[in-house]
Each structure stands twice: as C-alpha cells, then as structure tokens.
Amino acid sequence: MKQTWITVREYAHLSTPVSGHSVTTLDHAEISLSAFEWLCQMQSRFSDNGVRLVEVKDRRTLRLDSYVGTISTPCGTHIEILPKHYSAADSIEQNRQLMCRLIASALNLPWREAGVADLNLFRYPLSEWVMRQFLTELGRLIKRGLRFDYQWVEDEQPFLRGQLDMTRQMRQSPARLHRFHQRHSLFLPDRPENRLLRLAVDKIGRMTQEVQNWRLSHELIGLMREVAPSHQVKQDFACWGHNRLMAQYAAIKPWCELILGEHLPLAIQGDSKGISLLFPMERLFEQHVANVLRKQLQLGAQLHTQAASEHLCQYNADKLFLLKPDLLLIQGERRWVLDTKWKCPASGGANFGLAQSDMYQMLAYGMRYLQAEQDLLLIYPRTCDFDTVVGPFMLPNTLRLHALPFDLDNDVLLGTEALTLPLSA
C-alpha cells in the first residue's frame, strides 16, 4: 500500500484531484478520493455526538475545523494538522513543536527531551513524536527491569514439581502413570501492564515510517519476546497496577494509552490502520494556560477550571443555563474570571476586533460569579497583531473586562501587573 503524507494546518481545505497542476500549501492540499470519502463517513459518525471534524463545502472539497494532530486513513493517507499560530511559510517545525508541547502539557504527559536528537524529531509528524516518547520510556523501563509476578500453572510433566494434583493423577490412564499432573508457580513477566506494552511496541513496529523509531521498536520487541501481546486492551488497562511496586510504570502509561487509542478525554480515534490522534485546539490552549498559571499562584490563591456553581437564570425552583467559565481565580474575597479563546482579535476591526458573543458571555459570567468592581479577563494567544493589553472595558455593575495576550513561546500571561493578579513572576 502506497503511503502518502500531507501536512496542513487548522481550517485548511482538502480536495480531490482535479485536472491540471495544483500547488499544495498549508491551507490547501489534495487527497485521494478514497481518503475524501472516508473522512466524510467519519464526520457523519462524529456529528451524532456534536463533533465537527470537517465541514463539507461541496462534492470535491472539505474544510478542516480547529482540531490538530494526525489522521491515518485505511488507504494509506496520513494527514498532519498543525496549529494556525505561526503564519510564516517556513513555520512547519515551529507549529509542530508548539502542538507537541501543548498536548504534553494538557494531558500531563511526562515529556522528556534529550537534546539535539529529540529536537530534530520535530521534523516528523505528531504520531512519530508520540512513538519516540513511548519507545524512550520503554527503553528506560526495560533497563530498570520489567515487573514479574508469580503465575499459578497447571500442567503435566515427567517429573514432579510443586504440588501434585491427586484428583487428576488418580484418573490418569495406566499407560501414562509416569506423567505427573501438578500445580506450581512460575515467576513470569506475564502481567497486564507488560502485555499492553508489548502490544503497543508491536503496533509501532508496523506503523512507524521513521528509521530510528523502526530500529528501536524492533530492538525492544526482541527484548520483550517472552511477553505475549494483550488481547483484551480495556480489561488490561483496568487491571493496571498503581501501587508503589509499579511506580516505575507511571511515566509510560499515558504514552501507551495514546498509542493504543485509550487516552481520553481529548483524543478522537478513527478506524484506520495507522495512529489517529486529534485534539481540539481550544481545549489544549485552555488547559495549557491553566497549568502555567497554576504553577505561578501565590500562597493562598486558588485556580478552578470549568467552575460550575452558577446558573444564568431561575424558573420557579429550577436553575437553568449552567455557566462554566474556563478559569476562576480566587484569593480571599477577591475573584477573577478568566476565559481563553484560541483565536486572534481582528486587527483594525470594529470594537477592537473582539467578538460581540464573547462580550455577552463574559458579562453573564461577571454578573453571576463576581462582585462589583472586579475584573474579567479574555485571554488570546499572542501574535504580531495582538501583543498588548486591550481594555479595560466598563460593564454593568462596574465590572471591568480586559483582553490579554498569552505568550506561548515563553509561557507568560502579559499585562497582569496592573491587574494585581495573585501570580508570582
């Protein structure tokens, strides 16, 4: 099967081949008719759950939504979708590195870098990066030693070992009295965790297109030849041990879940012969900002994600329309509502480029969660067109709203000095 690799970014257009030469860019690419139809079928399944992966523009064109990651179709087409953050034409590696960093931060993945080799890996798609992280962790785990366990075995041997099974031995035919039915324990690596690791490394050995990942995966397969791959993935994950004896397995579990398609809540898996990993950029940005700010909190301050204690209105005794701001920052009697937006305010547009729906949303949050003369923050990614604080905008109840840029290169929320947020430098 011919493998085709395509790199685009959010909101790019994918079309079927047409007559004439078409230039492939980050915002437009051609895919095979079979891949086009498979994406349409996958979208029809996702639409039942309210997820829009692609938008069908016409019979020949699809428009991607704000999901990033990789999609592998059954026909061998691999589509890498990058964030639309760095706009330069040669920014593929920058966007790829940003995507990997946000995914690792949002999912709390133990991402280790070992210098130049790992940095060069960003020339390869997200799936290869995930494979490399898994293989690196598995290599460390094998060097420390896999966890073995005693397994109770019942078999028939020409020698006695362990406990004789008297019931079965008495039923033995006279011609086989020299054989002993016995029960004994063997110290084996046949544990749910090891079976899952073997299944994951086998999958990598079949799917990887990067030479170093292929070589390393086959070396590790040889070292794990005594372990059978898992045949019941969900059951084995449910039996994954979390005691102190299994502490060395903690770092590799999330990578194993990604490889085998069991890592929720953000990944969307497609039915394909490759590794499909898709993540909504809004959620990645929101969780990354939350993780960064949580590390900067001053003593006594608290940061709540997806606070859900207030409703917009009440009908009789029923509270209606739950309000869930992305972040709620509390220090004593002081409160701040923070909401993240993965978009850039339109430069030079009306109302400073801020969307009217976002302003209505923040007003509702402020009226229910804040007291008079407190602050609301709209947080956008910092770009060349948006790199300074906009505001304050005065809202009813003397609430103040500010639009702040978040520097993804340095993980810094800009413009917090004048707002006296309880964050350390």
Side-chain angles (χ1 to χ4, degrees):
M1 182 190 303
K2 182 180 178 181
Q3 304 289 321
T4 304
W5 291 91
I6 298 172
T7 299
V8 291
R9 58 186 181 181
E10 297 173 85
Y11 305 109
H13 289 81
L14 303 177
S15 60
T16 55
V18 295
S19 59
H21 180 70
S22 178
V23 178
T24 298
T25 66
L26 287 176
D27 294 315
H28 179 267
E30 288 190 349
I31 58 176
S32 64
L33 181 60
S34 58
F36 184 92
E37 294 176 348
W38 184 83
L39 286 173
C40 292
Q41 294 173 3
M42 186 169 61
Q43 174 56 40
S44 66
R45 295 197 301 269
F46 287 159
S47 60
D48 296 336
N49 297 323
V51 176
R52 190 177 74 174
L53 173 63
V54 296
E55 178 185 356
V56 181
K57 304 294 290 186
D58 52 49
R59 296 174 59 186
R60 289 184 176 272
T61 307
L62 297 174
R63 179 176 177 268
L64 296 172
D65 208 81
S66 60
Y67 284 82
V68 297
T70 59
I71 308 174
S72 297
T73 69
C75 64
T77 301
H78 305 277
I79 305 171
E80 181 185 24
I81 309 171
L82 301 177
K84 195 173 183 178
H85 183 63
Y86 301 102
S87 57
D90 58 349
S91 62
I92 292 180
E93 292 186 21
Q94 286 180 293
N95 281 317
R96 185 176 291 145
Q97 184 173 3
L98 173 64
M99 175 178 63
C100 294
R101 190 158 54 86
L102 292 182
I103 292 173
S105 173
L107 299 182
N108 295 315
L109 297 176
W111 174 20
R112 293 189 177 96
E113 285 200 65
V116 178
D118 282 332
L119 291 176
N120 290 338
L121 188 63
F122 285 116
R123 293 177 300 183
Y124 299 96
L126 170 68
S127 56
E128 297 291 344
W129 175 76
V130 172
M131 294 177 194
R132 172 63 64 84
Q133 298 299 319
F134 172 83
L135 295 174
T136 301
E137 292 292 346
L138 182 58
R140 289 191 177 96
L141 180 61
I142 291 178
K143 289 179 181 179
R144 296 175 182 175
L146 294 175
R147 178 68 179 166
F148 281 52
D149 230 350
Y150 284 102
Q151 307 289 333
W152 193 249
V153 178
E154 295 185 1
D155 58 10
E156 182 185 10
Q157 297 290 345
F159 52 84
L160 183 61
R161 179 183 184 183
Q163 179 183 0
L164 182 65
D165 188 342
M166 293 299 299
T167 302
R168 295 176 61 191
Q169 188 67 29
M170 291 174 64
R171 295 173 181 172
Q172 184 82 295
S173 66
R176 298 181 60 84
L177 288 177
H178 63 288
R179 308 282 294 185
F180 297 96
H181 289 278
Q182 55 191 345
R183 304 188 189 97
H184 58 92
S185 295
L186 294 178
F187 197 53
L188 300 173
D190 186 23
R191 292 179 54 92
E193 302 86 355
N194 294 336
R195 292 195 296 266
L196 291 168
L197 297 181
R198 174 60 193 272
L199 180 64
V201 74
D202 283 352
K203 184 175 182 180
I204 292 175
R206 296 191 306 269
M207 301 301 171
T208 184
Q209 300 294 314
E210 202 268 321
V211 175
Q212 190 171 355
N213 283 349
W214 185 92
R215 177 189 59 79
L216 184 55
S217 63
H218 283 76
E219 289 180 0
L220 295 174
I221 288 173
L223 295 175
M224 297 190 69
R225 59 185 178 275
E226 297 181 1
V227 181
S230 174
H231 298 288
Q232 298 178 322
V233 175
K234 292 185 180 297
Q235 291 85 336
D236 283 346
F237 269 118
C239 296
W240 190 292
H242 298 282
N243 54 47
R244 63 181 182 85
L245 297 177
M246 298 299 298
Q248 62 187 17
Y249 279 72
I252 199 173
K253 183 181 179 183
W255 298 111
C256 185
E257 290 173 325
L258 278 178
I259 296 294
L260 299 180
E262 295 296 321
H263 203 314
L264 301 176
L266 297 181
I268 296 178
Q269 294 296 323
D271 298 329
S272 66
K273 297 183 179 180
I275 296 177
S276 296
L277 300 170
L278 292 175
F279 304 87
M281 272 305 303
E282 296 87 352
R283 292 288 307 279
L284 291 181
F285 182 58
E286 171 195 332
Q287 296 193 21
H288 179 67
V289 171
N291 289 339
V292 170
L293 297 183
R294 189 171 284 113
K295 296 176 182 177
Q296 300 174 357
L297 290 178
Q298 296 178 1
L299 187 64
Q302 297 179 340
L303 184 67
H304 301 278
T305 58
Q306 295 294 315
S309 59
E310 300 293 337
H311 291 73
L312 181 62
C313 60
Q314 183 172 333
Y315 180 76
N316 295 330
D318 299 326
K319 295 182 178 180
L320 305 178
F321 305 111
L322 181 65
L323 297 174
K324 296 175 62 176
D326 292 341
L327 303 170
L328 180 62
L329 182 58
I330 302 175
Q331 186 185 46
E333 297 297 325
R334 304 169 65 198
R335 286 189 170 197
W336 297 262
V337 168
L338 295 76
D339 209 63
T340 59
K341 303 293 180 183
W342 179 251
K343 56 186 177 182
C344 181
S347 177
N351 301 323
F352 298 90
L354 302 178
Q356 187 169 342
S357 58
D358 294 340
M359 300 295 285
Y360 288 158
Q361 182 185 35
M362 296 302 288
L363 174 60
Y365 290 157
M367 297 296 290
R368 288 301 185 184
Y369 281 92
L370 301 182
Q371 300 175 2
E373 300 184 0
Q374 291 188 336
D375 296 284
L376 302 104
L377 281 65
L378 274 172
I379 301 175
Y380 298 90
R382 178 190 182 186
T383 63
C384 296
D385 296 328
F386 181 71
D387 57 1
T388 58
V389 178
V390 178
F393 300 93
M394 302 307 299
L395 301 179
N397 204 24
T398 61
L399 296 172
R400 299 179 295 265
L401 185 143
H402 313 261
L404 276 66
F406 186 89
D407 186 354
L408 285 169
D409 293 324
N410 302 302
D411 286 342
V412 176
L413 180 61
L414 304 177
T416 60
E417 300 82 5
L419 301 177
T420 63
L421 294 177
L423 301 175
S424 57

